[in-house]
Amino acid sequence: VQLQASGGGLVQAGGSLRLSCAASTHTFISYTVGWFRQAPGKEREFVGTISWSGGSIVYADSVKGRFTISRDNAKNTVALQMNSLKPEDTAVYYCAADRKFTIHFNEYEYWGQGTQVTVSS
């Protein structure tokens, strides 16, 4: 499964961005998709994850209520809608896929290349 994350950019605090993760294969429908982020000098951090059906979604406490994950299996895409962005949300955002439903980055088999999100104060 090849993944491509897109939609990053520069936004002011309080603004919104919508990231997209596109998969190369329709077998994507059977995969959990997770979003992670990594800021300079910090470890990769869990953001949220969505099950293959979209029926189970888990968010990190730091983004709960501000970020929303959704998926369109017909289009092989998963979106991360980010609202009320804060400077501390600045990071490279990655999407990842695995057959397991998990929040742990080291359990994901497939990774996209990452997209930079910068939030200015």
Side-chain angles (χ1 to χ4, degrees):
V1 178
Q2 291 185 325
L3 304 174
Q4 182 158 357
S6 62
L10 173 64
V11 64
Q12 288 189 331
S16 298
L17 279 176
R18 185 177 179 87
L19 306 185
S20 181
C21 179
S24 61
T25 172
H26 190 60
T27 58
F28 181 69
I29 190 174
S30 60
Y31 285 81
T32 289
V33 175
W35 286 96
F36 296 83
R37 64 187 183 187
Q38 190 164 18
K42 295 189 176 181
E43 293 187 350
R44 192 161 298 191
E45 176 187 21
F46 169 73
V47 174
T49 188
I50 185 167
S51 63
W52 68 271
S53 67
S56 295
I57 303 174
V58 176
Y59 298 99
D61 288 344
S62 59
V63 307
K64 203 173 293 183
R66 299 187 299 122
F67 291 11
T68 303
I69 298 175
S70 61
R71 70 188 298 161
D72 185 340
N73 285 336
K75 296 182 179 179
N76 295 345
T77 59
V78 171
L80 177 66
Q81 178 67 42
M82 305 186 295
N83 299 329
S84 302
L85 283 161
K86 305 174 181 180
E88 51 264 43
D89 294 318
T90 295
V92 176
Y93 283 70
Y94 300 88
C95 61
D98 198 86
R99 292 191 181 275
K100 300 183 301 297
F101 185 74
T102 178
I103 66 171
H104 303 292
F105 75 88
N106 58 349
E107 294 182 355
Y108 280 83
E109 182 172 3
Y110 303 102
W111 288 83
Q113 84 287 5
T115 184
Q116 176 71 47
V117 171
T118 303
V119 184
S120 63
S121 56

